[in-house]
C-alpha cells in the first residue's frame, strides 16, 4: 500500500483524498490544510490523521508520497519540499503562474530521481486517451490537425478570476497539454485572439479574456485549434478531435445519460452535459491516482511530469504575448 498524504482540502483536494482512500493499492496517510476546519472535515469524514503542518507531512515516516492540491502559488515550494524529502509527488496544475518561478524550481530539482507527476487529468480520460490510442495504433495515419473545444458551464466567481493568472494559464493550460499529448510533436508557433463577451467589466479589470481561440503549428506544419469560453449554457463542453491522412478520431461530450427523445417539435433531444470537471472527469481523476501509484510502485517515470507542466505554461505565455503584440509568437521568444 502506497501511503499518500493530501495537502490542501479544498474543492479538488477533498476529491483526491476520497479517490486515494478508495484506491486498492493506496492508503490515505492523512491530510493538511492551512484552514484547519477544511482538513478537520476531511480527516473526520474519512477517519484519517490530520497533520499539523506541511513540513510534518514531508517529515513523516508514515507518508510515502504527497498529493499537492493547495492553491497554485504554493505548488513550486511543495514540489521542492517533496524532492528534498525524497517523497514522490502528484501536484495539481499549474506548477506556478510565473515562468521564472517554474524555471527556478526546475533548476532546484534538476537531476532528481524523485517522481514528480503533474495533474493534467484529461490525459487519463478514456475518451481523450482513446484518440491518442487510435493515433498510436496508426488508424488515423499522419495527424495533420487537432481541434480542441473546452468551455466551462459558467464563469467562475470574481474572486477566483482575479487570482487565476488569466484564462490561458488557468484554463487553456489543460488544452495546451492535451494538444501536445495528442499531436506528439512540439508546437513552434502560437497565435491567439481574446474577447470580453461574457463579463467585460471584470475581464477589463483583470486584463483577462473570457472567450479565446488559439492556433498553433509545429515545425512540420501540423496544426491545432483550441476554442475556449468561460460560459457554455448547455454544460461543460469538452471535445477533442484528431484528423489525419487515414481518418479521424473524436472524443465526445458526456451527458448524464444517452437517451435521445423525439417529438413533433424536436428530434435528438438529450440530457444536458455533465456540469463540471469533478463529474465529467471522475473516471480520469481516479485513473490519474492509479497512474501515480503505478509509476511509484514500478519505479517508472510518471506519464505526465514537471517538464510537461513547464511546456504547457510556455505555450500559455506565447498566447498572452500573441494578443499583446497582435502577431504569431515563435516559442523561442518565450523560452
Ligand atoms: N486538474 C484540474 O482539473 C483542476 C481543477 C480545479 C483546480 N485545480 C487546481 O487545484 C488547485 C486547488 O484548486 P481548488 O479549486 O481545490 O482550490 P480551493 O481554494 O478550493 O482549495 C485550495 C485549498 O488549499 C489550501 N491551502 C492554501 N495554501 C495552503 C498551504 N500553504 N498549505 C496547505 N493548504 C493550503 C486552502 O486553504 C484551500 O483549502 C489549484 O492549483 C487549481 O489550479 C485543478
Amino acid at each position: 500500500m502506497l501511503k499518500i498524504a493530501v495537502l490542501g482540502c479544498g474543492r479538488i483536494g477533498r476529491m483526491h483524498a476520497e479517490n486515494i482512500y478508495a484506491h486498492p493499492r493506496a492508503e490515505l496517510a492523512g491530510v493538511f490544510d492551512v484552514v484547519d476546519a477544511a482538513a478537520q472535515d476531511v480527516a473526520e469524514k474519512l477517519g484519517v490523521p490530520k497533520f499539523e503542518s506541511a513540513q510534518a507531512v514531508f517529515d513523516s515516516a508514515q507518508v510515502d508520497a504527497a498529493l499537492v492540491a493547495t492553491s497554485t502559488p504554493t505548488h513550486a515550494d511543495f514540489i521542492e519540499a517533496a524532492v528534498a524529502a525524497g517523497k514522490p509527488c502528484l501536484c495539481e496544475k499549474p506548477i506556478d503562474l510565473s515562468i521564472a518561478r517554474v524555471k527556478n524550481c526546475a533548476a532546484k530539482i534538476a537531476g532528481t530521481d524523485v517522481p514528480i507527476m503533474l495533474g493534467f487529468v484529461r490525459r487519463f480520460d478514456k475518451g481523450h486517451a482513446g484518440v491518442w490510442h487510435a493515433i498510436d495504433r496508426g488508424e488515423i495515419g499522419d495527424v495533420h490537425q487537432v481541434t480542441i473545444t473546452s468551455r466551462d458551464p459558467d464563469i467562475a466567481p470574481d474572486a477566483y478570476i482575479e487570482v487565476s493568472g488569466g484564462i490561458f494559464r488557468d484554463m487553456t493550460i489543460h488544452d495546451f497539454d492535451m494538444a501536445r499529448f495528442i499531436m506528439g510533436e512540439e508546437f513552434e508557433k502560437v497565435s491567439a485572439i481574446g474577447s470580453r463577451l461574457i463579463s467585460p467589466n471584470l475581464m477589463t479589470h483583470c486584463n483577462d479574456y473570457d472567450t479565446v481561440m488559439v492556433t498553433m503549428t509545429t515545425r512540420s506544419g501540423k496544426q491545432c485549434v483550441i476554442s475556449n469560453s468561460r460560459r457554455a449554457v448547455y454544460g461543460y463542453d469538452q471535445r477533442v478531435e484528431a484528423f489525419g491522412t487515414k481518418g479521424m478520431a473524436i472524443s465526445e461530450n458526456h451527458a448524464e445519460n444517452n437517451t435521445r427523445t423525439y417529438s413533433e417539435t424536436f428530434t435528438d433531444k438529450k440530457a444536458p452535459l455533465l456540469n463540471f470537471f469533478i463529474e465529467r472527469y471522475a473516471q480520469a481523476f481516479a485513473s490519474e491516482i492509479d497512474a501515480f501509484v503505478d509509476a511509484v510502485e514500478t519505479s517508472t517515470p510518471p506519464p505526465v511530469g514537471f517538464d510537461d507542466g513547464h511546456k504547457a505554461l510556455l505555450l500559455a505565455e506565447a498566447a498572452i504575448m500573441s494578443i499583446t503584440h497582435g502577431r504569431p509568437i515563435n516559442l523561442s521568444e518565450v523560452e
Side-chain angles (χ1 to χ4, degrees):
M1 293 295 255
L2 186 72
K3 291 178 269 179
I4 310 174
V6 171
L7 287 98
C9 298
R11 202 167 48 144
I12 206 164
R14 301 177 70 90
M15 181 213 56
H16 282 309
E18 284 168 13
N19 281 343
I20 293 167
Y21 185 80
H23 196 282
R25 285 174 293 129
E27 188 181 314
L28 183 60
V31 293
F32 171 67
D33 197 296
V34 281
V35 176
D36 190 58
Q40 183 70 31
D41 194 38
V42 179
E44 264 175 25
K45 190 175 164 209
L46 299 177
V48 298
K50 185 187 72 175
F51 287 93
E52 291 310 312
S53 68
Q55 198 50 50
V57 170
F58 293 113
D59 290 343
S60 172
Q62 299 309 311
V63 174
D64 298 326
L67 187 151
V68 174
T70 46
S71 320
T72 299
T74 64
H75 292 181
D77 288 347
F78 286 148
I79 288 173
E80 287 167 11
V83 168
K87 298 205 194 292
C89 175
L90 167 53
C91 182
E92 264 307 336
K93 51 56 63 177
I95 301 171
D96 196 85
L97 296 177
S98 145
I99 275 289
R101 179 67 184 101
V102 173
K103 285 182 176 164
N104 173 267
C105 182
K108 283 190 182 158
I109 65 166
T112 183
D113 56 4
V114 177
I116 302 295
M117 180 162 154
L118 243 282
F120 282 130
V121 66
R122 296 180 193 179
R123 289 193 186 211
F124 302 96
D125 176 68
K126 280 187 182 163
H128 299 347
V131 173
W132 183 88
H133 283 299
I135 295 166
D136 193 51
R137 287 192 299 265
E139 291 167 4
I140 312 303
D142 202 17
V143 176
H144 286 178
Q145 293 179 319
V146 172
T147 306
I148 299 172
T149 304
S150 176
R151 302 186 178 118
D152 280 357
D154 206 351
I155 193 159
D158 291 14
Y160 176 93
I161 298 282
E162 278 165 3
V163 298
S164 69
I167 190 166
F168 294 110
R169 296 188 189 98
D170 173 53
M171 184 171 162
T172 326
I173 192 107
H174 277 294
D175 307 309
F176 289 129
D177 181 66
M178 184 53 56
R180 292 184 58 247
F181 174 55
I182 296 293
M183 190 62 94
E185 193 176 309
E186 295 297 341
F187 292 98
E188 193 181 60
K189 203 175 276 183
V190 179
S191 209
I193 48 174
S195 303
R196 294 162 177 155
L197 305 176
I198 299 166
S199 188
N201 291 342
L202 175 64
M203 292 301 142
T204 305
H205 165 66
C206 299
N207 190 24
D208 196 4
Y209 306 93
D210 50 39
T211 308
V212 301
M213 291 195 106
V214 181
T215 57
M216 307 194 289
T217 44
T218 67
R219 180 167 299 222
S220 68
K222 295 177 176 182
Q223 304 168 349
C224 175
V225 179
I226 298 171
S227 174
N228 288 155
S229 170
R230 287 272 190 196
R231 180 184 291 152
V233 293
Y234 49 86
Y236 193 33
D237 190 1
Q238 298 286 297
R239 288 170 282 149
V240 174
E241 176 186 302
F243 166 82
T245 50
K246 285 191 187 167
M248 176 169 73
I250 303 177
S251 174
E252 298 278 13
N253 274 315
H254 290 197
E256 283 167 21
N257 62 62
N258 289 326
T259 310
R260 295 187 299 173
T261 51
Y262 297 74
S263 80
E264 274 182 350
T265 52
F266 58 80
T267 59
D268 275 319
K269 192 168 152 188
K270 290 171 73 179
L273 300 180
L274 285 176
N275 216 28
F276 212 13
F277 59 92
I278 289 188
E279 295 78 20
R280 166 63 178 83
Y281 286 114
Q283 166 270 313
F285 279 115
S287 299
E288 180 180 60
I289 300 294
D290 210 36
F292 181 61
V293 174
D294 270 354
V296 176
E297 274 186 349
T298 58
S299 298
T300 46
V304 49
F306 187 94
D307 193 46
D308 295 301
H310 188 173
K311 287 192 165 129
L313 194 63
L314 285 172
L315 292 171
E317 291 303 315
I320 294 163
M321 209 168 145
S322 169
I323 292 187
T324 308
H325 297 290
R327 64 172 173 83
I329 299 297
N330 255 300
L331 218 57
S332 58
E333 295 179 67
V334 292
E335 272 168 349

